[in-house]
Amino acid sequence: MDYVSVADARDGQGLRVVLTKGVPGPWGESIKAMLAYKGLDYLPVAQDGGGENPELRAWTGQTAAPVLVSDELPPACHWLDQLMLLERLQPEPALLPADCDQRSRAIGLCALIAGADGFGWQRRLLMLQPMMDMESVPARSQRLAQKYGYSAEAVQQAVARMRQISQYLEHSLSNTAGDYFFGGAPGAVDFYWANFAGMIKPLPPELNPMPDWFRPIYTSSDPQILECLSAPLEKHRDMMYERHIATPLEF
């Protein structure tokens, strides 16, 4: 992608989206896919994954990506704020159901995938473990570990929590009337799951040309983790890329 710096974006106008440059982070890839689905144009802004990002902190109050900034509105740094901003900027096609019961369920499923202590959060803890076990832990890993509550106890329960969430997602998908989590059209849950599934089994290089050094981090050989990507959930993931998410991915 053709990124601009935080310094250049800060004085700009329109929708600016801070993304981790060079790697397909699932939070950022989900936002990109939903922006494309809604037909919203944006200016990509580079963030250094796990870096200190002082200019980003000065602009948004924190150092992570993605972040959405739209004109005079406050920066949207939390996944739910980002989702609601997308719905505000372009109501159709909708990412959330209008029915209150379905809407609350959809937001809850998104939280299980992308929220604190959710599927992606647990997988990230497991990704940090090899680096945290090194004799000399890299500063970048130390920052991420502190930010996301890394501990031996947290890692120990991570796989069980991922499996619990994935089983609930599979159950929810099996009870829908269509191909998507909420009927006949894709929504936020579908886009989040499609992208977060790549944290255990990325798309092949021709579709997801991530750096060679990065692919092993995202690829799991643990049978218990691979069970999280059951046949129905993997079929759903592949369908989303075939129908709604352009490949090869650009990041």
Side-chain angles (χ1 to χ4, degrees), residues 198-209:
M199 296 183 82
I200 55 178
K201 186 179 179 181
L203 294 172
E206 62 270 20
L207 301 180
N208 184 353

Side-chain angles (χ1 to χ4, degrees), residues 201-247:
K201 186 179 179 181
L203 294 172
E206 62 270 20
L207 301 180
N208 184 353
M210 64 173 66
D212 291 341
W213 64 267
F214 195 73
R215 184 168 288 273
I217 298 174
Y218 266 41
T219 304
S220 177
S221 59
D222 185 329
Q224 294 188 74
I225 296 178
L226 291 173
E227 285 180 10
C228 295
L229 192 61
S230 65
L233 290 177
E234 185 171 6
K235 180 180 178 181
H236 173 275
R237 188 276 302 266
D238 293 344
M239 176 269 295
M240 286 295 296
Y241 282 97
E242 290 168 3
R243 297 182 186 177
H244 304 292
I245 306 176
T247 54

Side-chain angles (χ1 to χ4, degrees), residues 93-112:
L95 293 168
L96 293 170
D99 175 79
C100 288
D101 182 60
Q102 289 196 333
R103 190 180 186 87
S104 64
R105 286 186 56 240
I107 292 173
L109 289 176
C110 290
L112 288 177

Side-chain angles (χ1 to χ4, degrees), residues 15-251:
L15 182 59
R16 288 143 289 166
V17 181
V18 181
L19 298 163
T20 303
K21 184 177 181 179
V23 295
W27 282 268
E29 291 301 309
S30 298
I31 287 296
K32 286 161 57 181
M34 290 187 280
L35 284 162
Y37 180 61
K38 284 183 172 288
L40 287 167
D41 293 327
Y42 62 93
L43 183 67
V45 184
Q47 179 252 12
D48 176 23
E52 295 184 355
N53 294 289
E55 291 183 327
L56 182 60
R57 182 185 292 277
W59 187 27
T60 68
Q62 55 86 63
T63 60
V67 183
L68 275 63
V69 183
S70 179
D71 294 327
E72 300 304 316
L73 296 175
C77 305
H78 185 271
W79 68 266
L80 182 55
D81 292 334
Q82 294 163 6
L83 179 55
M84 301 313 296
L85 178 59
L86 294 184
E87 295 288 74
R88 174 179 176 176
L89 294 175
Q90 182 60 51
E92 297 293 338
L95 293 168
L96 293 170
D99 175 79
C100 288
D101 182 60
Q102 289 196 333
R103 190 180 186 87
S104 64
R105 286 186 56 240
I107 292 173
L109 289 176
C110 290
L112 288 177
I113 299 168
D117 293 324
F119 186 92
W121 187 287
Q122 304 299 331
R123 179 64 177 130
R124 183 166 45 194
L125 293 175
L126 293 170
M127 290 175 177
L128 281 170
Q129 185 178 20
M131 291 168 280
M132 296 303 293
D133 288 343
M134 295 172 63
E135 184 175 342
S136 179
V137 179
R140 191 177 300 262
S141 301
Q142 291 177 341
R143 282 193 294 270
L144 290 170
Q146 183 177 13
K147 182 180 291 187
Y148 299 115
Y150 180 91
S151 69
E153 294 75 18
V155 169
Q156 193 171 32
Q157 59 81 44
V159 174
R161 181 60 177 156
M162 287 174 63
R163 293 183 63 186
Q164 182 184 31
I165 292 170
S166 65
Q167 288 167 3
Y168 188 75
L169 290 170
E170 182 178 352
H171 172 75
S172 299
L173 187 61
S174 69
N175 286 314
T176 186
D179 293 337
Y180 308 97
F181 277 94
F182 289 90
V189 184
D190 303 282
F191 284 107
Y192 276 121
W193 172 248
N195 284 285
F196 278 76
M199 296 183 82
I200 55 178
K201 186 179 179 181
L203 294 172
E206 62 270 20
L207 301 180
N208 184 353
M210 64 173 66
D212 291 341
W213 64 267
F214 195 73
R215 184 168 288 273
I217 298 174
Y218 266 41
T219 304
S220 177
S221 59
D222 185 329
Q224 294 188 74
I225 296 178
L226 291 173
E227 285 180 10
C228 295
L229 192 61
S230 65
L233 290 177
E234 185 171 6
K235 180 180 178 181
H236 173 275
R237 188 276 302 266
D238 293 344
M239 176 269 295
M240 286 295 296
Y241 282 97
E242 290 168 3
R243 297 182 186 177
H244 304 292
I245 306 176
T247 54
L249 300 179
E250 295 182 358
F251 36 78

